[in-house]
Amino acid sequence: MIFHVITIFPDYFSSPLKYGVIAKAISSGKLEVNLVDLRQFTTDKHRTTDDRPYGGGAGMVMIPGPLSKAIESVKKEKTDLEVILFSPAGRLFNHELAQELAKKKELVLICGRYEGVDQRIIDGYVDMELSIGDYVLTGGEPAAIVVIDAIGRLLPSVLGCDQSAKNDSFATGLLEHPQYTRPRTFMDMDVPQVLLEGNHKEIEKWRRRKSLELTAKRRPDLLKKAKLSAKDIEYLKGIGSKKDEKE
Ligand code: ADE
């Protein structure tokens, strides 16, 4: 998969792409990140990428000329290329959308700065505006890192089977169960006995229940969409009635 990232700060990306799973995916050719320096498409001696908004108001708006040229430079004759603009007003990024986007061959990620980009760029080129959360960033660059990371790890054979994405929090529709490793006792806290006994059916049952408990406590909204068995529902009812007793 190729990400074409249009940015005025290409150097911003050098460090995050140098480490771990994403660096490996890049060096093995499973993932390519093509950094496109927006300033290379400017025409004036100051290499201007922004201007004051028509109608007045605070802040600056990214001008359409250089953005258009930058997008065209990667688009060329390609038809199966999706153009994404980062914006706090965009569709909220989540695991489901990461899985959907991981199927694409090439994505163009436009990193906005200032007060946003000229609307004609959005109307003329952008397939999807994307937000990574309900807060305002100084620009799209940190959002691009988040999206490249979340999608990159889902690409075929980027994660080894021991790191499989299948059991991720959200992939199952639930938050992931707690994990423990050596030592058996730490700060007077023991690893739950069931994890030490090697009974895989019991371990799976314990993990499922912990996932259900955690999701019910922290993200009850996810339970509405999760695939739940009759047993899961029964267990959740049990948790609910215990909570009611306490209250
Ligand atoms: N640009 C500014 N804030 C953003 C957000 N929350 N998500 C994506 N891009 C942004």
Side-chain angles (χ1 to χ4, degrees), residues 13-70:
F13 293 84
S14 49
S15 168
L17 300 178
K18 241 172 39 195
Y19 298 99
V21 167
I22 294 301
K24 253 197 193 157
I26 292 172
S27 62
S28 64
K30 290 169 193 139
L31 175 65
E32 187 181 328
V33 180
N34 171 32
L35 297 167
V36 181
D37 182 358
L38 184 62
R39 291 208 195 273
Q40 291 198 340
F41 298 90
T42 55
T43 46
D44 63 319
K45 82 167 191 265
H46 301 293
R47 308 180 88 201
T48 306
T49 56
D50 64 326
D51 205 338
R52 285 164 298 146
Y54 275 121
M60 301 289 269
V61 176
M62 293 183 86
I63 56 177
L67 274 171
S68 166
K69 284 192 199 134

Side-chain angles (χ1 to χ4, degrees), residues 43-199:
T43 46
D44 63 319
K45 82 167 191 265
H46 301 293
R47 308 180 88 201
T48 306
T49 56
D50 64 326
D51 205 338
R52 285 164 298 146
Y54 275 121
M60 301 289 269
V61 176
M62 293 183 86
I63 56 177
L67 274 171
S68 166
K69 284 192 199 134
I71 298 166
E72 294 288 356
S73 81
V74 287
K75 257 189 118 172
K76 297 183 187 124
E77 276 96 49
K78 292 174 199 157
T79 48
D80 55 351
L81 174 141
E82 190 147 330
V83 180
I84 291 176
L85 170 72
F86 292 111
S87 155
R91 176 171 168 190
L92 210 51
F93 187 61
N94 63 15
H95 195 74
E96 217 176 325
L97 186 51
Q99 283 171 319
E100 204 180 294
L101 293 173
K103 294 180 195 142
K104 309 272 176 195
K105 255 173 75 185
E106 295 186 45
L107 294 176
V108 180
L109 306 181
I110 306 172
C111 301
R113 285 257 140 202
Y114 323 111
E115 286 304 301
V117 311
D118 188 291
Q119 185 62 32
R120 291 163 293 184
I121 286 295
I122 301 173
D123 297 342
Y125 291 106
V126 172
D127 298 304
M128 187 194 298
E129 289 182 72
L130 202 60
S131 164
I132 61 159
D134 291 339
Y135 37 78
V136 180
L137 301 167
T138 55
E141 284 80 3
I145 294 291
V146 167
V147 165
I148 293 169
D149 192 280
I151 295 177
R153 65 188 287 287
L154 295 176
L155 298 176
S157 59
V158 163
L159 292 184
C161 22
D162 55 334
Q163 303 164 295
S164 167
K166 285 203 186 83
N167 293 326
D168 281 347
S169 285
F170 304 112
T172 60
L174 298 174
L175 301 183
E176 206 184 339
H177 54 78
Q179 298 277 18
Y180 293 87
T181 184
R182 270 155 276 273
R184 269 189 185 204
T185 304
F186 180 70
M187 290 171 70
D188 279 341
M189 291 177 276
D190 295 327
V191 173
Q193 188 60 27
V194 62
L195 301 179
L196 305 172
E197 289 170 351
N199 182 336

